[in-house]
Amino acid sequence: MSTPASATLPHHTGFNLKEWILTTDHKRIGILYLIGSMAAFGVAGIMALLIRMEQAQVGAQLITDPTQYNRWLFFHGAVMILAFLIPGLTGFAANYFLPLMIGAKDVAFPRINAFSVWLFYFAIILALLSLVIPDGPDIMWTGYPPYSVTTMANTSFYVFTIHLLGFSSILGAINFLVTVIYMRAPGMGWNQLNMFVWTTVAAFVLQLVFIPVLAAAVTLLLFDKYLGTHFYDPSAGGDVLLYQNLFWFYSHPAVYVIFLPAVGILFEIIATMSKNRIFNYKIAVYGGIWGIIAIGGIVWVHHLYVAGMPDWLRLGMMVTTLLISVPVGLLVMSLWGTLYKGAITYNVAMMYAAACLYLVLVGGLTGIPLALPSLTLHLSDTSFVHAHFHFIMALFSAFALFGGIYYWFPKMTGRLADSKMAVVSFWCNFIGVNVTFWPLFIIGLEGMPRRYWNYEMFPQFQPYHEVATAGAFLIGIGMLLQFINFIYAAINGPIAEDNPWKSKSLEWTHCPNPPGPGNFPEDVVVDENWTPYNYNTD
Ligand code: HEM
Ligand SMILES: [Cu+2]
């Protein structure tokens, strides 16, 4: 294990396009997911900058036609969630590291895994095409009817993109669940799994259960728009709120599909960098992760508080929504507890993890007023909500993913990505997020509506929007530096030791950097005393 893998494994010498396209190796498939999701992040990030530039001042800045703004907003939201965060966390991170963490040679169905990644690429191509067709979708990522049915824009591109991604995710979910159930190294019990494995298992369970509902919701939308059915049309006996219910029945759990693997990455980084066991492992797994799964499916109506519904339902959903802060809180407590009295190593991965502890705090606390119907009547559809979910979901998970890339960079490339540029880009991103979203919390409280391209009625908000736009550009610079750093480090970064962070987890202790075909030079067997976090025993 001491020889650098690149010297011993022909698999990793030179670049062969055909090998990559035909690959069934989970690690290469993971890298393909990474490239696709980062490309999606780049384009959707540019849309975010356009949106912020448009909002920087009262009146039209860039657009000649407001539909253009809706298209950017549609693309930004849909792609960030469906093509960046979900594929980045489950497609890339789970694909590459889950088999390594459980001591498996590959996933259960490697060819289906390859099929999944190519479905994902077709979905990205379809999503990108929706930017260049003359009547691109302008329906927001939520696609609510009646607008999504009556608009002249093309709704089908979005629906077909969701079908492709959904199919890809369902195949992936089955693949990984079977892998974890049947392919763990001999001797590895359930309570010896990495936290990242547990969180992704939970995310795959959610995908499997809830994606079909989303697929059904958007398929009915397609029928209403193009085949003349009236599922969502009250004037013909349909129900417009049916869509909102079906949509959020998937899309609230979807936030956990994103949140959970992100938390899993944080556990890996924090445990390794503080050389501690997971604080309250069993409570975090069975109370935290599985608690979220248990309640996560019965809170979706909090997205419909301002739509018509009986009071008892609003109240019931308030209770379940507040209740879900309990398992989320258990996980956060466990993350903090894992830091306790640790010999903490500060590096870029750890900086991102620490930033996430802050983001989840702000995001979680601002969720409480949104859970209370009496308060959310005022906050709903304001930029307060927008800032809330960017803290709790969007940037929290993106930061966790970037932290994970720094953490696993030596595993994937044999080189370190930590550098001055990495630190500078981290601070640009971290300061940028605060500069962008705090003003939106403030003007949201004052009534700034969400999703508006112009705000002539609120000229007093302009300075806040200007600051927010400057913040977005700071994030833009940070991300650009980050990508330059990743590419430079992959080619030219300092060579890393085999286990640079001295982790006890199998992906670091039992296979070279990067692992070759079949992952492990020798079959992995563990005993009952082994855990991936065996730090303070010796
Ligand atoms: C734990 C991870 C969480 C994630 C990933 C998340 C994500 C989101 C997202 C994406 C939205 C915006 C939906 C839209 O497009 O309108 C949202 C809104 C909301 N969030 Fe969160 N959230 C989380 C935690 C919480 C917590 C802890 C609470 C409350 C205790 C909460 C309560 C709400 C409510 C009630 C709304 C609807 C607000 C409205 O439209 O008025 N969220 N959340
Ligand atoms: Cu929700």
Side-chain angles (χ1 to χ4, degrees):
M1 237 190 298
S2 54
T3 12
S6 46
T8 48
L9 298 161
H11 182 70
H12 284 278
T13 55
F15 174 78
N16 181 333
L17 186 66
K18 194 173 149 203
E19 264 183 25
W20 278 88
I21 290 177
L22 298 180
T23 189
T24 56
D25 180 331
H26 72 98
K27 300 179 293 298
R28 289 191 164 196
I29 290 173
I31 297 291
L32 290 174
Y33 269 110
L34 179 65
I35 295 168
S37 62
M38 288 300 148
F41 177 69
V43 185
I46 292 169
M47 297 296 129
L49 290 179
L50 291 173
I51 293 164
R52 286 278 8 127
M53 272 156 79
E54 180 53 54
Q55 279 203 327
Q57 292 185 320
V58 173
Q61 307 299 313
L62 304 176
I63 55 170
T64 46
D65 165 15
T67 309
Q68 188 56 48
Y69 184 80
N70 289 350
R71 287 193 195 144
W72 294 338
L73 210 52
F74 158 78
F75 189 90
H76 169 75
V79 167
M80 281 295 194
I81 293 180
L82 300 171
F84 164 55
L85 282 179
I86 295 181
L89 290 159
T90 61
F92 153 65
N95 233 310
Y96 203 115
F97 299 104
L98 186 146
L100 298 179
M101 285 177 170
I102 62 170
K105 292 190 162 76
D106 205 312
V107 294
F109 310 110
R111 290 183 185 197
I112 291 181
N113 201 16
F115 185 50
S116 302
V117 76
W118 291 113
L119 283 175
F120 166 62
Y121 269 83
F122 283 118
I124 289 194
I125 292 169
L126 204 56
L128 286 174
L129 283 177
S130 75
L131 276 181
V132 293
I133 55 172
D135 55 350
D138 61 350
I139 56 176
M140 308 302 152
W141 90 283
T142 45
Y144 280 8
Y147 186 73
S148 53
V149 175
T150 55
T151 174
M152 298 306 285
N154 188 324
T155 301
S156 66
F157 266 59
Y158 188 34
V159 174
F160 291 136
T161 305
I162 290 181
H163 286 161
L164 286 173
L165 287 171
F167 200 26
S168 165
S169 290
I170 287 175
L171 291 176
I174 295 171
N175 212 341
F176 282 92
L177 290 175
V178 174
T179 305
V180 176
I181 294 170
Y182 289 106
M183 294 172 69
R184 299 190 314 280
M188 188 182 287
W190 291 106
N191 292 327
Q192 291 164 292
L193 295 185
N194 285 75
M195 289 303 282
F196 179 71
V197 174
W198 271 123
T199 53
T200 43
V201 162
F204 287 126
V205 168
L206 288 174
Q207 290 286 68
L208 207 54
V209 173
F210 291 100
I211 284 178
V213 181
L214 176 71
V218 296
T219 305
L220 298 185
L221 198 64
L222 193 73
F223 289 173
D224 270 15
K225 187 169 169 71
Y226 296 102
L227 300 182
T229 57
H230 300 281
F231 292 104
Y232 303 132
D233 178 4
S235 67
D239 185 347
V240 74
L241 287 186
L242 173 64
Y243 178 85
Q244 296 190 19
N245 276 293
L246 292 176
F247 180 84
W248 286 110
F249 190 67
Y250 166 75
S251 294
H252 186 84
V255 302
Y256 301 117
V257 171
I258 294 168
F259 182 75
L260 285 170
V263 169
I265 294 177
L266 297 182
F267 270 112
E268 301 305 326
I269 297 174
I270 288 178
T272 302
M273 298 311 171
S274 41
K275 301 287 176 292
N276 259 339
R277 286 175 171 235
I278 302 297
F279 177 72
N280 273 348
Y281 177 93
K282 285 188 185 165
I283 290 181
V285 170
Y286 301 105
I289 298 172
W290 291 100
I292 287 179
I293 302 297
I295 317 175
I298 48 167
V299 304
W300 81 93
V301 179
H302 65 217
H303 295 273
L304 282 74
Y305 278 151
V306 293
M309 75 178 84
D311 282 342
W312 62 264
L313 182 58
R314 214 176 254 125
L315 216 62
M317 286 290 171
M318 175 186 85
V319 173
T320 53
T321 300
L322 288 174
L323 210 57
I324 209 150
S325 357
V326 175
V328 171
L330 289 176
L331 288 173
V332 174
M333 197 173 72
S334 200
L335 285 169
W336 280 99
T338 305
L339 283 170
Y340 184 63
K341 287 192 176 169
I344 301 171
T345 310
Y346 282 100
N347 50 29
V348 184
M350 190 60 207
M351 289 164 79
Y352 274 99
C356 285
L357 292 176
Y358 159 79
L359 295 174
V360 76
L361 193 70
V362 177
L365 291 179
T366 53
I368 295 172
L370 292 174
L372 307 174
S374 58
L375 293 179
T376 216
L377 285 181
H378 305 278
L379 296 171
S380 190
D381 280 320
T382 67
S383 64
F384 187 91
V385 177
H386 173 188
H388 156 72
F389 71 75
H390 278 80
F391 266 89
I392 192 80
M393 176 187 69
L395 290 149
F396 171 79
S397 313
F399 272 41
L401 181 58
F402 288 125
I405 295 176
Y406 282 105
Y407 175 65
W408 284 311
F409 204 84
K411 180 52 49 192
M412 296 184 285
T413 64
R415 294 173 190 274
L416 285 167
D418 286 37
S419 66
K420 277 214 181 80
M421 203 190 216
V423 175
V424 171
S425 66
F426 166 81
W427 284 111
C428 289
N429 291 336
F430 183 70
I431 296 170
V433 166
N434 286 289
V435 175
T436 308
F437 291 102
W438 278 106
L440 298 178
F441 272 132
I442 298 167
I443 57 178
L445 285 173
E446 305 277 319
M448 173 67 208
R450 191 180 152 203
R451 295 177 168 174
Y452 274 34
W453 67 275
N454 192 6
Y455 45 99
E456 256 156 8
M457 54 308 241
F458 305 115
Q460 71 274 27
F461 295 152
Q462 184 171 306
Y464 294 87
H465 280 294
E466 284 167 344
V467 171
T469 304
F473 273 89
L474 194 55
I475 304 175
I477 294 169
M479 292 300 173
L480 192 66
L481 290 179
Q482 171 136 293
F483 284 117
I484 295 172
N485 180 52
F486 283 146
I487 292 168
Y488 178 82
I491 301 166
N492 236 337
I495 302 285
E497 297 166 43
D498 270 346
N499 184 356
W501 325 120
K502 307 281 177 283
S503 166
K504 303 270 180 170
S505 177
L506 291 183
E507 87 269 28
W508 292 107
T509 54
H510 280 63
C511 54
N513 296 346
N519 295 342
F520 299 96
E522 284 154 37
D523 285 355
V524 183
V525 180
V526 299
D527 63 33
E528 74 255 27
N529 295 321
W530 174 89
T531 86
Y533 311 108
N534 252 346
Y535 292 108
N536 17 29
T537 48
D538 38 33

